[in-house]
Amino acid sequence: MEQIIMFFPLLFILDTSRNVKASPETAEIFFQKLRNKCEFTILVTLKQTHLNSGVILSIHHLDHRYLELESSGHRNEIRLHYRSGSHRSHTEVFPYILADDKWHRLSLAISASHLILHVDCNKIYERVVEKPFMDLPLGTTFWLGQRNTAHGYFKGIMQDVQLLVCFLPSFSCPTCNDFHGLVQKIMELQDILAKTSAKLSQAEQRMNKLDQCYCERTCTMKGTTYREFESWTDGCKNCTCMNGTVQCEALVCPLADCPLNSALTYVDGKCCKECQSVCVFEGRTYFEGQRETVYSGSGDCVLFECKDHKMQRIPKGICPALSCPESQQIPLSHSCCKVCKGHDFCTEGHNCMEHSVCRNLEDRAVCSCRDGFRALREDNAYCEDIDECAEGRHYCRENTMCVNTPGSFMCVCKTGYIRIDDYSCTEHDECVTNQHNCDENALCFNTVGGHNCVCKPGYTGNGTICKAFCKDGCRNGGACIASNVCACPQGFTGPSCETDIDECSDGFVQCDSRANCINLPGWYHCECRDGYHDNGMFSPSGESCEDIDECGTGRHSCANDTVCFNLDGGYDCRCPHGKNCTGDCIHEGKIKHNGQIWVLENDRCSVCSCQNGYVMCRRMVCDCQNPTVDLFCCPECDPRLSSQCLHQSGEFSYNSGDSWIQNCQQCRCLQGEVDCWPLPCPEVDCEFSMLPENECCPRCVSDPCQADTIRNDITKTCLDETNVVRFTGSSWIKHGTECTLCQCKNGHVCCSVDPQCLQEL
């Protein structure tokens, strides 16, 4: 089952003043069908002009190319740009000539990690690639015949541009890649099953505990836990647990109308006065249980107690013996016994509550509120905190804030000020004390209550982050590390990293005698000389180059009257003994006479000659000083302003023929067109490799846990912490943790903590 999306059945696109893209509404409808799909086919019929390098179609968001098909007439290549699940950009290059001003039918089919390219109904390439990542974000754009409004203009004619999105796989025989994909999917499903089982087990354990609980918010005060909405009395305050927070307010005592022979008085453990029975004795009022001593004329002590509204005489008890002399003895108002002066009445018991302390008088104990508290009853048994800040009873000076504390207050310095004493603060110069947040490449300026950061000359930023600024920019992947100072990547030099180091001419490279050193931007390689080809081992120094038997393979140009003899790196056309040979050559089925010079029919920029039976062909030498130079063959000699190219950043332009490096791509300007292709990298022949930051080519590493690219070996397995066998490439959450992710890398267990998981906990 397939769905066909078609754009522009016939489109002539020959100029560069155009803006051919789908509207945001149409593009979003299309992206909804394509999003997260990895089974699709691109079909297009086109005719591209000679030497044009342009984009056939492009789906991209900002600088991320999710799917882009490009044809380069400068290098005779078809390129597919896409992103994989690791969010890395990939480019697949297919050597093929589309820009020949002829009609071609192109089909590019992608099925997961399987790619097939057809041109004119012939299968040209079939490859295993990274699985495309098509999680297209909002704002993604769809362009046809160009990448954006400034680059990648396709010149020619396109018709029947179609995109087939497959929803069901075909039922053809599976390929080896399909098998490996199924194996990988099985391993992923095993990991998911293990993770899900572990989470399910943990959830069941938690559910068993939760079944026995009823969860609600509670409050804790003075070691006691109260349930939601529960109320209680704390001293002389009514408190309630509301949403896990204790809220208290002062207790309001009701007005009481006491009956006859009773009056209001405080009761132990109560904050408000209550009605108590009274006795009237000798003109004074006594409450129930209150005692009074009366001395008779003979000096005898008589003890009375208020009981049932009458003062009743009670028997005199036995007084304890005192250790102090009689002159130090003090009579008590509620007892016939005496005590020594300085007696500790508080130890005999008192009713002083929290924030109230018991104090001894000569004949009794009384309650007194602590400093910073006020009485809630006349007897000072209950006290509450005084908010000195709210009532203005503090001594905090300017540049401070008053903060209330139990029984007192404190003066806190405002932001940007430092303390002088307990009540005063003064301006704080963070720049002098080095307590600022300015970048090391910024200047600090003190202000009232704070400071300002300004980047130093040669740096740019907001002051807290300052980055070096290079006026002319750093080219070819260089990084600006100081004012107008560029750190150049390997293979480049110059103030702006604009100069490629020619490793071949500088003598840094020693290639094998059968190979020539070829300089590349930022790198080099040893290429087999004419007459040699690589045996498949691809040795970096060219040692894998071996001789081509031109005679045996028929790759010679000896005339019919000569005999081919193979030589090391070439061949020789020899005239048989006794014959007079002409020295003519055979080229493309035609006889060329000795000394004849001609131009190739399909390439007017290449010149060939016949020399004693040998055909010698070479590219036309470009002499830009010659006013009659053919600009078609030598576009780098084009001096016109219209042939200049704008850099991808839009900051500066290049002349025709200039080359540069941008985002690990080698770019070249030819007659106003920018053509970029992947930067060639040395062959990495190792089990584990990684791509260092700010570098374009991977490097071999010995530590598998540092590697981001692995040559997977499915025969190697790992044992996790629970002795479960894990296949190579599988990952799992470490048992007993929530944020530690482990992965099996060719028999090595590598674990790391996921910071995003920690933030979500």
Side-chain angles (χ1 to χ4, degrees):
M1 178 180 179
E2 297 179 340
Q3 180 163 347
I4 301 177
I5 308 297
M6 182 182 296
F7 284 88
F8 307 105
L10 181 62
L11 187 66
F12 295 87
I13 38 183
L14 300 174
D15 61 353
T16 57
S17 58
R18 61 176 187 262
N19 189 14
V20 185
K21 67 174 180 178
S23 65
E25 296 78 12
T26 304
E28 181 56 32
I29 295 174
F30 163 59
F31 294 149
Q32 289 179 1
K33 302 180 184 299
L34 183 62
R35 191 169 283 124
N36 295 322
K37 298 294 189 301
C38 57
E39 305 271 344
F40 50 85
T41 301
I42 300 172
L43 298 175
V44 60
T45 302
L46 54 83
K47 182 166 72 170
Q48 187 176 9
T49 60
H50 283 289
L51 296 178
N52 170 247
S53 294
V55 173
I56 298 173
L57 62 83
S58 177
I59 300 174
H60 71 263
H61 180 262
L62 300 178
D63 289 334
H64 301 314
R65 292 187 282 192
Y66 285 88
L67 185 66
E68 183 173 296
L69 187 61
E70 178 185 16
S71 171
S72 171
H74 298 147
R75 294 178 59 86
N76 295 327
E77 294 174 347
I78 301 174
R79 306 185 193 122
L80 174 68
H81 307 278
Y82 66 97
R83 290 173 65 82
S84 64
S86 59
H87 301 285
R88 291 176 56 185
S89 298
H90 300 270
T91 300
E92 291 294 326
V93 178
F94 309 98
Y96 196 85
I97 302 175
L98 278 183
D100 55 2
D101 205 25
K102 298 179 181 178
W103 281 102
H104 295 283
R105 288 184 295 173
L106 182 144
S107 166
L108 183 67
I110 298 177
S111 175
S113 56
H114 194 203
L115 181 149
I116 302 178
L117 175 66
H118 284 82
V119 178
D120 298 329
C121 297
N122 296 312
K123 183 192 291 186
I124 306 300
Y125 293 100
E126 183 173 2
R127 293 182 184 174
V128 175
V129 297
E130 292 284 338
K131 184 178 179 181
F133 180 72
M134 298 301 291
D135 187 10
L136 305 175
L138 294 176
T140 303
T141 54
F142 185 102
W143 295 82
L144 191 71
Q146 58 194 93
R147 186 187 176 197
N148 49 40
T149 57
H151 293 100
Y153 294 111
F154 179 94
K155 295 181 181 179
I157 305 175
M158 283 194 290
Q159 70 177 21
D160 297 332
V161 182
Q162 303 179 24
L163 191 63
L164 287 72
V165 182
C166 302
F167 292 93
L168 292 176
S170 63
F171 296 96
S172 59
C173 295
T175 64
C176 294
N177 178 65
D178 296 331
F179 172 76
H180 289 299
L182 290 174
V183 172
Q184 183 66 29
K185 183 61 66 175
I186 291 174
M187 292 190 294
E188 293 176 359
L189 291 174
Q190 287 177 335
D191 291 336
I192 295 174
L193 178 60
K195 295 175 185 177
T196 305
S197 300
K199 291 182 179 179
L200 179 61
S201 177
Q202 295 177 0
E204 289 178 346
Q205 295 176 3
R206 293 182 180 179
M207 290 295 295
N208 291 335
K209 295 180 180 178
L210 290 176
D211 288 342
Q212 307 169 5
C213 302
Y214 171 72
C215 298
E216 65 178 359
R217 291 194 174 186
T218 60
C219 305
T220 302
M221 186 174 183
K222 298 178 182 179
T224 304
T225 301
Y226 300 93
R227 298 182 62 179
E228 182 79 358
F229 304 121
E230 185 178 357
S231 299
W232 68 96
T233 300
D234 178 39
C236 292
K237 295 180 290 185
N238 283 333
C239 299
T240 305
C241 179
M242 298 290 293
N243 199 24
T245 304
V246 176
Q247 300 182 6
C248 297
E249 57 184 12
L251 182 66
V252 179
C253 296
L255 297 177
D257 187 10
C258 295
L260 187 64
N261 297 328
S262 64
L264 289 173
T265 186
Y266 288 114
V267 179
D268 291 344
K270 299 295 181 65
C271 189
C272 296
K273 292 182 178 181
E274 296 182 0
C275 294
Q276 296 289 324
S277 60
V278 297
C279 303
V280 179
F281 181 68
E282 295 183 355
R284 294 178 62 186
T285 300
Y286 297 90
F287 289 96
E288 184 78 13
Q290 189 174 354
R291 293 183 177 185
E292 180 62 42
T293 56
V294 178
Y295 291 90
S296 63
S298 60
D300 293 335
C301 175
V302 181
L303 185 62
F304 291 90
E305 182 180 2
C306 178
K307 190 174 183 181
D308 297 331
H309 308 294
K310 295 181 180 180
M311 295 298 290
Q312 299 181 10
R313 183 172 181 171
I314 60 176
K316 179 180 178 181
I318 300 176
C319 294
L322 301 178
S323 59
C324 56
E326 188 173 353
S327 60
Q328 298 291 321
Q329 297 177 4
I330 302 172
L332 301 177
S333 61
H334 61 279
S335 175
C336 289
C337 297
K338 296 180 179 181
V339 294
C340 293
K341 184 181 291 186
H343 179 72
D344 189 355
F345 296 98
C346 292
T347 59
E348 298 176 351
H350 59 83
N351 61 344
C352 302
M353 306 304 291
E354 187 180 14
H355 308 311
S356 177
V357 295
C358 180
R359 301 185 186 278
N360 286 298
L361 300 181
E362 284 192 356
D363 60 345
R364 67 185 184 279
V366 295
C367 294
S368 176
C369 290
R370 297 179 185 272
D371 293 339
F373 295 86
R374 65 163 62 94
L376 292 172
R377 302 190 343 182
E378 290 88 341
D379 60 357
N380 293 333
Y382 292 88
C383 305
E384 68 173 352
D385 176 50
I386 300 173
D387 191 343
E388 294 86 356
C389 300
E391 299 180 9
R393 300 170 62 178
H394 61 85
Y395 314 106
C396 296
R397 306 286 298 275
E398 62 274 4
N399 306 326
T400 64
M401 295 181 297
C402 180
V403 178
N404 186 60
T405 60
S408 184
F409 64 93
M410 62 184 301
C411 303
V412 179
C413 293
K414 294 181 179 178
T415 303
Y417 295 87
I418 57 175
R419 183 176 300 280
I420 299 177
D421 53 34
D422 290 343
Y423 309 106
S424 305
C425 298
T426 188
E427 169 69 19
H428 178 208
D429 192 339
E430 295 94 341
C431 299
V432 174
T433 59
N434 201 30
Q435 295 180 343
H436 56 80
N437 61 344
C438 298
D439 190 90
E440 62 179 356
N441 295 312
L443 300 175
C444 179
F445 297 95
N446 189 59
T447 61
V448 176
H451 63 278
N452 287 332
C453 303
V454 179
C455 293
K456 295 178 181 179
Y459 294 86
T460 181
N462 59 7
T464 57
I465 299 177
C466 295
K467 294 183 178 180
F469 175 73
C470 295
K471 181 180 179 181
D472 297 328
C474 297
R475 305 187 181 185
N476 297 317
C480 188
I481 59 174
S483 177
N484 292 322
V485 177
C486 294
C488 299
Q490 183 178 2
F492 292 93
T493 186
S496 301
C497 306
E498 73 282 1
T499 304
D500 171 47
I501 298 176
D502 190 344
E503 293 86 355
C504 299
S505 63
D506 292 343
F508 294 152
V509 181
Q510 187 66 39
C511 292
D512 188 84
S513 60
R514 294 163 291 183
N516 294 324
C517 181
I518 305 298
N519 184 60
L520 296 172
W523 187 54
Y524 69 93
H525 77 103
C526 295
E527 185 176 81
C528 295
R529 293 166 49 195
D530 292 339
Y532 297 91
H533 71 99
D534 198 278
N535 59 12
M537 301 303 293
F538 299 103
S539 174
S541 60
E543 297 174 353
S544 55
C545 295
E546 62 181 17
D547 175 57
I548 298 175
D549 186 356
E550 292 86 355
C551 300
T553 58
R555 297 173 60 179
H556 63 86
S557 60
C558 295
N560 292 333
D561 56 353
T562 61
V563 179
C564 177
F565 286 88
N566 185 59
L567 302 176
D568 188 22
Y571 63 94
D572 187 15
C573 300
R574 300 178 182 179
C575 187
H577 181 69
K579 288 188 177 182
N580 184 17
C581 298
T582 62
D584 294 339
C585 307
I586 297 178
H587 183 258
E588 295 182 349
K590 298 180 181 179
I591 297 178
K592 302 293 182 180
H593 298 292
N594 187 23
Q596 184 178 350
I597 301 175
W598 68 96
V599 177
L600 291 179
E601 294 181 0
N602 58 353
D603 185 3
R604 77 185 200 191
C605 300
S606 295
V607 179
C608 298
S609 64
C610 177
Q611 298 292 336
N612 297 321
Y614 292 97
V615 175
M616 309 291 291
C617 295
R618 60 176 175 82
R619 186 80 174 173
M620 183 183 297
V621 178
C622 293
D623 182 10
C624 295
Q625 303 299 324
N626 186 356
T628 62
V629 65
D630 188 350
L631 296 181
F632 179 84
C633 299
C634 302
E636 62 269 25
C637 299
D638 194 341
R640 296 172 297 180
L641 292 177
S642 59
S643 296
Q644 292 183 342
C645 300
L646 187 66
H647 186 266
Q648 288 91 331
S649 63
E651 297 178 356
F652 39 84
S653 60
Y654 291 97
N655 294 324
S656 182
D658 289 347
S659 297
W660 67 95
I661 301 296
Q662 175 71 16
N663 294 334
C664 296
Q665 292 192 104
Q666 181 180 347
C667 300
R668 192 182 185 194
C669 174
L670 288 177
Q671 293 182 323
E673 295 185 358
V674 177
D675 189 19
C676 298
W677 55 92
L679 187 69
C681 291
E683 186 75 18
V684 178
D685 187 15
C686 53
E687 185 178 8
F688 304 108
S689 61
M690 67 174 294
L691 183 63
E693 188 176 2
N694 298 326
E695 293 190 18
C696 298
C697 296
R699 297 182 180 179
C700 294
V701 293
S702 57
D703 184 1
C705 296
Q706 293 182 354
D708 49 32
T709 303
I710 305 169
R711 188 180 297 168
N712 281 326
D713 184 353
I714 61 174
T715 63
K716 296 181 179 179
T717 59
C718 302
L719 283 179
D720 65 9
E721 62 280 356
T722 59
N723 289 328
V724 174
V725 176
R726 302 282 182 173
F727 292 100
T728 288
S730 62
S731 57
W732 66 94
I733 301 296
K734 188 175 182 180
H735 181 71
T737 67
E738 295 185 17
C739 298
T740 301
L741 179 66
C742 298
Q743 186 178 7
C744 179
K745 296 184 176 182
N746 282 3
H748 302 272
V749 177
C750 298
C751 299
S752 61
V753 177
D754 184 2
Q756 182 178 358
C757 173
L758 294 176
Q759 294 177 359
E760 296 174 353
L761 290 179

